[in-house]
Amino acid sequence: MTNEFTFSITTTRFDENYAPSESSRATTNFANLARGEHRQQNLRNALAMIDRRFNELAHGDNPKQDRYAVELEIVSVSLGFAAESNDHEFPLLEMLDIQIVDLHTGVRHHGIVGNNFSSYVRDFDFSVLLPAVNEAATEPTVPEDFGDLHGKLFQHFLDSAAYQERFALPPVICISVSTSKTYRRTDNYHPALGVEYQQDEYSLTDEYFGKMGLQVRYFMPTGSVAPLAFYFRGDLLSDYSDLQLVGTISTMETFQKIYRPEIYNANSTAASVYRPSLNQQDFTLTQIAYDRVERGELAIKQGKYTEQHFVKPHKNVLEQWAANYPTLVG
């Protein structure tokens, strides 16, 4: 059963000349930036923001804050059904990989993969399955097995030869904190990640990522105005260098400022007890166009595409495989 699926990886350079391919996920945040009349300026501005923030955080031996450049690649992962001949491959997920270039020495450092993680199956779970379950429910309902298949597929990919031959370390997925939870600042401070926040209970997203085998910690880097959520395997603080962590922070904080400016481009810094809100009015818009409404609409469209081309036609194979795949403990 472990040979039921195969994984293949392709990469695309993400720079100011990037244009989404026909097979790229339209809900991916970087694809959203790369459409429209001002697409190239959008991309150029976003990439400049990433470089500027990276150099601001990586300030050692960098007095002019111009030492480093960040290069990004889109990593597209397809899942193949080994035993089937028709409709046998499905575009499972996409994420960004980072290369850090030291412009003073010419040395290239591999950053952390996982940035801007997106998944067709996750679109299905949150935009199709969950609304359908709650349509007739009298109170908010989350199925007990919600996220099980997605989590097992993700773990299977990380343990696959396709992943391990290409990436030396597990991914780190960095996203916004939840607007449904309250976060409290601690005394713990990390030189790259900043001050740590904690919350009393996990959000639905935290639990969903937990089924992917990922723990979560929340940090607000120096110069940031709100904490970020970091999902990881292993030990976030010791498995990665400060330079690698700065690559993730600078990339994801830039995207968060663009599509969640109410939180990450707010004009005031998160307090010691903090409840993020998209209703915040005191924030500054970036000069980068991002269509948040379109993204939500496309998530539903692609969730339905997943249901039609992945969940329903491969239902028996997926259920049998998931039933035999070991469940994460802990």
Side-chain angles (χ1 to χ4, degrees):
M1 187 61 69
T2 56
N3 295 322
E4 195 74 55
F5 304 141
T6 59
F7 297 99
S8 59
I9 297 174
T10 58
T11 58
T12 306
R13 180 72 180 267
F14 181 67
D15 57 21
E16 65 181 52
N17 297 311
Y18 166 71
S21 69
E22 289 298 320
S23 60
S24 183
R25 296 184 67 254
T27 59
T28 306
N29 292 313
F30 38 81
N32 190 299
L33 296 181
R35 293 197 296 273
E37 181 183 354
H38 304 293
R39 54 171 300 280
Q40 192 167 53
Q41 190 63 45
N42 258 0
L43 295 169
R44 189 178 295 129
N45 289 345
L47 294 167
M49 284 176 65
I50 292 171
D51 280 350
R52 186 164 55 247
R53 182 61 169 140
F54 187 99
N55 281 285
E56 181 182 36
L57 289 169
H59 50 75
D61 289 331
N62 190 10
K64 296 182 180 179
Q65 296 193 357
D66 61 355
R67 178 168 181 168
Y68 299 101
V70 176
E71 294 181 354
L72 301 174
E73 274 193 331
I74 301 167
V75 177
S76 302
V77 180
S78 293
L79 179 149
F81 291 85
E84 299 185 25
S85 58
N86 297 319
D87 197 20
H88 67 283
E89 194 167 83
F90 187 80
L92 190 65
L93 59 90
E94 282 188 328
M95 51 190 173
L96 291 177
D97 190 24
I98 292 179
Q99 292 284 334
I100 301 156
V101 183
D102 187 330
L103 300 175
H104 289 187
T105 66
V107 173
R108 301 175 68 86
H109 304 270
H110 197 177
I112 308 174
V113 71
N115 304 275
N116 253 316
F117 171 84
S118 60
S119 158
Y120 268 105
V121 180
R122 188 180 180 215
D123 278 347
F124 166 74
D125 283 342
F126 278 93
S127 299
V128 177
L129 176 62
L130 200 58
V133 168
N134 281 276
E135 189 173 2
T138 56
E139 59 184 32
T141 302
V142 178
E144 187 176 343
D145 62 350
F146 184 69
D148 283 3
L149 175 62
H150 181 268
K152 291 176 179 180
L153 288 171
F154 181 78
Q155 292 181 67
H156 191 38
F157 169 60
L158 295 194
D159 294 333
S160 70
Y163 184 89
Q164 296 188 1
E165 288 171 0
R166 189 176 189 98
F167 303 107
L169 292 168
V172 173
I173 299 173
C174 176
I175 64 173
S176 171
V177 286
S178 172
T179 56
S180 68
K181 303 299 175 186
T182 299
Y183 300 83
R184 290 172 171 80
R185 190 183 302 164
T186 72
D187 294 329
N188 188 36
Y189 178 84
H190 184 272
L193 293 166
V195 64
E196 184 167 18
Y197 277 72
Q198 293 180 346
Q199 60 164 305
D200 296 332
E201 60 179 355
Y202 289 136
S203 68
L204 179 58
T205 296
D206 294 338
E207 293 174 349
Y208 192 84
F209 278 96
K211 292 189 175 184
M212 296 162 61
L214 304 178
Q215 308 170 62
V216 63
R217 293 178 75 168
Y218 317 94
F219 287 90
M220 185 168 72
T222 300
S224 300
V225 297
L228 293 157
F230 295 85
Y231 298 89
F232 58 94
R233 267 186 175 186
D235 189 331
L236 179 66
L237 305 192
S238 64
D239 291 348
Y240 308 93
S241 70
D242 286 358
L243 210 62
Q244 288 176 314
L245 293 171
V246 167
T248 290
I249 293 165
S250 60
T251 301
M252 291 315 303
E253 190 178 85
T254 294
F255 278 99
Q256 296 291 358
K257 284 182 176 180
I258 293 167
Y259 58 79
R260 284 205 159 182
E262 299 93 337
I263 297 174
Y264 291 97
N265 220 29
N267 295 325
S268 57
T269 303
S272 57
V273 178
Y274 176 61
R275 179 71 176 258
S277 172
L278 291 175
N279 295 319
Q280 166 68 259
Q281 298 298 311
D282 186 22
F283 65 93
T284 302
L285 287 171
T286 66
Q287 299 302 306
I288 300 172
Y290 180 88
D291 194 332
R292 200 155 60 183
V293 173
E294 180 195 48
R295 192 213 180 281
E297 293 171 347
L298 287 171
I300 297 172
K301 180 179 179 180
Q302 293 190 161
K304 291 179 178 178
Y305 174 88
T306 304
E307 182 179 37
Q308 180 182 355
H309 294 278
F310 184 72
V311 176
K312 285 185 175 180
H314 305 295
K315 183 175 185 293
N316 293 336
V317 171
L318 292 169
E319 287 181 352
Q320 184 182 2
W321 175 83
N324 286 278
Y325 192 85
T327 301
L328 183 71
V329 178

